[in-house]
Amino acid sequence: MNVMDSHFFEGAFVEAGLSAAVGAQDADLIILNTCSVREHAENKVLSRLGVLTRLKEVNTSLKIVVAGCMAQRMGGEITRKFPAVDLVLGTGRIADIVALTTAKGGAGCMVCTDGMGDAGPERYPYARAGAAHAYVCAMRGCDNFCAYCIVPKVRGRQVSRPAAKIIAEIEALCADGVKVVTLLGQNISAWGRDLGEGRGLAFLLEAVHEVAGLEWIKFLTCHPRDTDTAVFEAMRDLPKVASGIHLPAQAGSDFVLRAMKRGYTRREYLSKVAQLRDFVPQASIVGDFIVGFPGEREADFNDTLSLLEETGFRGSFVFKYSPRPGTAAAHLADDVPMDVKARRNNDLLALQRDVSLAQNRSFIGRRVRVFVEGPSRKNPDELTGRTLGDEVVIFAGSRREAGSFAQVDIFDASAAVLFGREVP
Ligand code: SAH
Ligand code: SF4
């Protein structure tokens, strides 16, 4: 979501006649687009602001903007700590960034954290510069209240964009050369509920599937309770729709799931996965886990390990629990020591590596269609791309292939990536 908002910022400024700076030293305006999900992310921003304060002592005309969730959460506190900041732009005012930063007026900082929840821009002049993949906002905010999560507080209640607007945007993108879109929402599985038309994510996927020129549709993120079988049916029946799903479990023990207020039990999670595999046997499932939630005992953590194995996640994002002010869990004692959190984090990742490796090796000998993203980071003579199920594929090729599709024969795999040869 933040990457998408950053694309919007860049696009909106380019449209207003500005151009991207080479680096911080060269910039007239620096925007820190922030995340509040964990304290660690916030601390990184605070230390960056210290560095930028010193840069502004040299370049006194530099403008510094703090945007996003931290801006929304901390508001004026940021400017009290960092007087060098010119604008604090909350999540409800994202669309106003150009007007607010170019407004003439006195010195001093503006704090804009009002606005209706997470109001996104009506129109998205993304900085896409020939990119063939684009993030498209399907909804903002979230109506769930998971005990650990600050998202509903800083991004507000769920607001779905009407299907017609989403489709019009994707049609325009495809006319511009986009071939792959990723539909975004904090809880995209609840898309449409607030629109009161009785239509959900499966309807949206069907409607987007009709857009001419579009090749692939990916979507993020699904809450297990809110994801219905109509979505699995769409994954099975609509060839453009992703064969992979991001379906965070967060934990494997009923005690922890209840304390997290996730709204499902371990058994319900596993039966959701079984339903998915009935529809799409090869579906690749990516999860999120939090280790060290208040009260998590070793037995609870073992349940998380076994859930990971039983589900057969292709990959997982694992986070150490971080208490967030204003959430329900902030009132609970953060009683799992840091060294225990770190060990559980490592144990879960180690198990995930084994599970991922086994899954990736099952691709060896298969031919897959890959959307080419660009040169691989490690070797400029190799390309990196992704399958419809979001598996990362590395193969030799020319950087001119970026933004196109390739057929690739897989001959090897690690836990993280598949290695292949392009079919001429
Ligand atoms: N909407 C998504 C999650 C958005 S936040 C969902 O419901 O699945 C992304 C991930 O950050 C979460 O899935 C969770 O694993 C992690 N996370 C959120 N709050 C956290 C916290 N307080 N401490 C540690 N990890 C957290
Ligand atoms: Fe946060 Fe996701 Fe739960 Fe919403 S569904 S409160 S975004 S973890």
Side-chain angles (χ1 to χ4, degrees):
M1 189 71 79
N2 270 17
V3 171
M4 180 185 70
D5 286 343
S6 296
H7 287 176
F8 165 73
F9 291 151
E10 193 181 342
F13 279 110
V14 167
E15 217 177 58
L18 281 76
S19 57
V22 181
Q25 305 283 347
D26 175 46
D28 301 309
L29 171 72
I30 294 177
I31 305 165
L32 296 187
N33 194 16
T34 62
C35 175
S36 287
V37 164
R38 286 171 299 279
E39 194 183 8
H40 181 62
E42 292 197 342
N43 288 342
K44 282 205 287 195
V45 170
L46 297 176
S47 75
R48 188 72 65 85
L49 280 172
V51 173
L52 293 182
T53 297
R54 290 193 287 284
L55 191 62
K56 194 164 174 167
E57 284 160 9
V58 183
N59 175 5
T60 48
S61 62
L62 173 67
K63 279 192 178 178
I64 300 173
V65 179
V66 178
C69 294
M70 234 177 125
Q72 185 69 27
R73 189 178 86 71
M74 295 174 72
E77 196 185 327
I78 292 180
T79 60
R80 280 192 294 282
K81 282 191 179 141
F82 299 96
V85 172
D86 296 278
L87 173 65
V88 176
L89 188 79
T91 51
R93 300 295 297 272
I94 285 170
D96 301 328
I97 187 147
V98 174
L100 289 169
T101 45
T102 52
K104 301 264 182 295
C109 177
M110 242 190 304
V111 178
C112 302
T113 51
D114 52 333
M116 295 286 292
D118 190 8
E122 263 301 301
R123 209 172 54 80
Y124 285 74
Y126 291 135
R128 286 174 170 123
H133 167 262
Y135 290 112
V136 172
C137 177
M139 60 179 289
R140 287 177 176 269
C142 181
D143 280 352
N144 287 329
F145 286 92
C146 303
Y148 51 82
C149 183
I150 200 160
V151 168
K153 198 170 143 77
V154 288
R155 292 256 181 194
R157 301 298 298 254
Q158 166 174 335
V159 182
S160 300
R161 279 178 93 199
K165 285 196 177 162
I166 297 171
I167 288 160
E169 185 186 347
I170 296 175
E171 281 172 346
L173 287 167
C174 290
D176 239 2
V178 166
K179 295 175 187 137
V180 179
V181 295
T182 303
L183 300 171
L184 292 183
Q186 297 296 341
N187 177 11
I188 201 164
S189 42
W191 177 87
R193 263 188 208 164
D194 51 306
L195 297 173
E197 293 168 353
R199 289 166 164 170
L201 177 60
F203 165 83
L204 181 64
L205 292 171
E206 270 171 45
V208 172
H209 198 264
E210 296 297 306
V211 175
L214 182 63
E215 302 244 10
W216 281 0
I217 308 160
K218 298 183 177 188
F219 53 100
L220 286 172
T221 294
C222 287
H223 187 292
R225 189 199 50 212
D226 297 332
T227 309
D228 55 32
T229 48
V231 173
F232 303 154
E233 231 174 308
M235 291 168 70
R236 180 192 62 190
D237 297 340
L238 304 175
K240 294 179 184 177
V241 171
S243 55
I245 191 167
H246 188 182
L247 197 69
Q250 311 296 359
S253 106
D254 283 336
F255 167 75
V256 174
L257 286 170
R258 203 175 321 113
M260 286 179 166
K261 301 194 198 306
R262 282 292 283 181
Y264 52 83
T265 60
R266 173 194 178 92
R267 183 199 287 259
E268 283 163 348
Y269 183 87
L270 288 170
S271 92
K272 194 67 80 169
V273 168
Q275 282 174 347
L276 169 58
R277 296 228 189 268
D278 276 347
F279 283 91
V280 190
Q282 301 287 345
S284 81
I285 306 174
V286 171
D288 289 358
F289 289 101
I290 297 176
V291 293
F293 188 78
E296 184 188 66
R297 298 153 299 191
E298 210 53 32
D300 299 308
F301 175 65
N302 287 336
D303 287 345
T304 297
L305 288 168
S306 68
L307 181 93
L308 188 155
E309 210 159 18
E310 253 180 81
T311 302
F313 287 99
R314 177 175 61 76
S316 290
F317 298 96
V318 180
F319 307 104
K320 297 189 268 293
Y321 170 69
S322 161
R324 305 285 48 223
T327 60
H331 306 291
L332 306 172
D334 182 15
D335 56 1
V336 178
M338 193 36 108
D339 58 329
V340 176
K341 283 182 187 171
R343 188 202 16 97
R344 290 180 185 166
N345 187 84
N346 292 346
D347 287 356
L348 202 54
L349 285 175
L351 177 64
Q352 180 63 65
R353 263 192 299 277
D354 292 346
V355 173
S356 298
L357 181 63
Q359 291 205 6
N360 282 351
R361 291 195 68 81
S362 73
F363 278 86
I364 295 175
R366 280 169 56 191
R367 180 168 291 183
V368 292
R369 188 168 186 237
V370 175
F371 175 71
V372 184
E373 293 179 340
S376 99
R377 252 178 295 168
K378 286 192 186 147
N379 178 351
D381 296 329
E382 286 182 334
L383 297 171
T384 176
R386 279 173 195 269
T387 66
L388 187 56
D390 238 21
E391 283 92 9
V392 177
V393 183
I394 306 283
F395 59 102
S398 145
R399 61 176 61 225
R400 279 189 297 280
E401 291 180 63
S404 66
F405 287 88
Q407 295 287 341
V408 178
D409 287 336
I410 303 303
F411 66 83
D412 199 4
S414 72
V417 297
L418 311 177
F419 299 97
R421 271 182 214 96
E422 185 170 0
V423 182

